Amino acid sequence: QVQLVESGGGLVQPGGSLRLACAASGRTIDKYTMGWFRQPPGKEREFVAAINWAKSGTYYSDSVKGRFTISRDNTKNTVHLQMNSLKPEDTAVYYCSAGPFSTSTRNARDARVYDYWGRGTQVTVSS
């Protein structure tokens, strides 16, 4: 069993930055694919970013590519999402997720392949 807790959300102006953190407990995540999803108001949950066991294995949605960076620190059992150049359309509840799989065998963009989820953290981008 893996427990995930997100932090770092808040209110930021357009063009600003936020750094989200996801702390995992219960199991080490060194062999887990980690993902970030978000759910904008009135919309379905959508893929944001994912990172495989290896640092080179990263994936991003087209809407955030070039602005967001996912990273992991297996020593601290955490994953981060650095969000730069934020736009109002980035406003959403952001969820951290974990799955015991490799992206070579599962589609990291599919929320259904993740076994564990955090409760989410609110990100609001507004002037």
Side-chain angles (χ1 to χ4, degrees), residues 32-49:
Y32 281 69
T33 291
M34 305 297 295
W36 285 98
F37 291 75
R38 68 187 183 187
Q39 187 166 19
K43 297 183 179 180
E44 296 182 350
R45 189 172 300 186
E46 64 185 25
F47 171 77
V48 176

Side-chain angles (χ1 to χ4, degrees), residues 5-13 17-21 36-43 68 81 83 86-96 118-126:
V5 180
E6 303 95 337
S7 63
L11 175 65
V12 65
Q13 293 183 319
S17 299
L18 283 175
R19 184 173 175 84
L20 304 184
W36 285 98
F37 291 75
R38 68 187 183 187
Q39 187 166 19
K43 297 183 179 180
F68 291 10
L81 184 68
M83 305 185 295
L86 284 162
K87 305 174 181 179
E89 50 263 45
D90 294 319
T91 295
V93 177
Y94 283 70
Y95 298 91
C96 178
R119 296 293 299 274
T121 184
Q122 177 70 48
V123 172
T124 302
V125 185
S126 176

Side-chain angles (χ1 to χ4, degrees), residues 4-104:
L4 304 173
V5 180
E6 303 95 337
S7 63
L11 175 65
V12 65
Q13 293 183 319
S17 299
L18 283 175
R19 184 173 175 84
L20 304 184
C22 174
S25 61
R27 297 245 297 178
T28 58
I29 61 171
D30 59 316
K31 297 297 183 181
Y32 281 69
T33 291
M34 305 297 295
W36 285 98
F37 291 75
R38 68 187 183 187
Q39 187 166 19
K43 297 183 179 180
E44 296 182 350
R45 189 172 300 186
E46 64 185 25
F47 171 77
V48 176
I51 185 167
N52 201 9
W53 301 344
K55 293 182 179 180
S56 59
T58 57
Y59 306 83
Y60 298 93
S61 68
D62 291 340
S63 62
V64 308
K65 192 172 185 178
R67 299 187 298 121
F68 291 10
T69 302
I70 187 171
S71 61
R72 65 192 300 161
D73 186 338
N74 290 341
T75 301
K76 297 182 178 180
N77 224 33
T78 59
V79 61
H80 297 270
L81 184 68
Q82 179 66 45
M83 305 185 295
N84 298 328
S85 302
L86 284 162
K87 305 174 181 179
E89 50 263 45
D90 294 319
T91 295
V93 177
Y94 283 70
Y95 298 91
C96 178
S97 59
F101 64 87
S102 168
T103 56
S104 65

